[in-house]
Amino acid sequence: MSKVAVIFWTQSGNTEQMAQAVADGAKNAGADVDLLETSDFSPASVSGYQGLAFGCPAMGDEQLEDSEFQPLWDSVKGNLIGKKVGIFGSYGWGDGEWMRSWEAECKELGITLASDPVIANEAPDDDAVEACRSLGASLV
């Protein structure tokens, strides 16, 4: 059985809703899934998973949250090559630049994304929830 981690940071709860949908998609595809906030995950944890999804909303000037999520991301990204990886998050302003920048960083590092990133404007609508479930299934 494939083991998948869904790691997220949320401020308003929107990215947490997306994380739950990613986890549901992976579970429905047959994976053993851990749904974790950033504070519950560490670089040492990466090796225990075949698939990992990371969720973070756009913050400030369309960037990743910088006090918890960015430090975690920086500490694990070098260990993600060869893993099935997905990224997702919500935003309330801008046009999704933070996600395009994050996706570009993954490509530059040689991290292969298992599916297209998923973004939602504010709370995820039905289409975003379904896209999150598909992202989760792609990690199995």
Side-chain angles (χ1 to χ4, degrees):
M1 176 179 285
S2 183
K3 187 123 171 103
V4 172
V6 180
I7 305 104
F8 69 95
W9 186 92
T10 192
Q11 180 172 326
S12 66
N14 294 335
T15 301
E16 183 174 9
Q17 290 175 25
M18 296 175 78
Q20 184 61 60
V22 172
D24 290 346
K27 285 178 190 172
N28 291 341
D32 179 14
V33 180
D34 291 330
L35 182 62
L36 305 161
E37 293 188 36
T38 54
S39 59
D40 298 323
F41 195 78
S42 72
S45 304
V46 171
S47 64
Y49 297 95
Q50 291 76 42
L52 300 103
F54 293 89
C56 184
M59 300 296 290
D61 189 23
E62 287 219 55
Q63 59 194 30
L64 296 173
E65 190 279 328
D66 65 356
S67 67
E68 282 188 49
F69 190 87
Q70 185 73 57
L72 174 68
W73 174 251
D74 288 342
S75 71
V76 301
K77 64 188 178 186
N79 300 328
L80 299 177
I81 296 170
K83 300 281 186 179
K84 293 181 180 182
V85 177
I87 57 176
F88 63 93
S90 61
Y91 67 102
W93 62 91
D95 67 355
E97 179 184 343
W98 105 103
M99 187 60 71
R100 291 190 300 276
S101 297
W102 193 8
E103 180 181 20
E105 178 186 17
C106 289
K107 288 180 181 177
E108 288 169 14
L109 293 168
I111 298 168
T112 303
L113 297 179
S115 73
D116 289 336
V118 179
I119 63 174
N121 189 346
E122 304 292 347
D125 61 14
D126 291 344
D127 290 340
V129 168
E130 190 52 42
C132 286
R133 288 184 183 131
S134 293
L135 186 156
S138 75
L139 300 172
V140 178

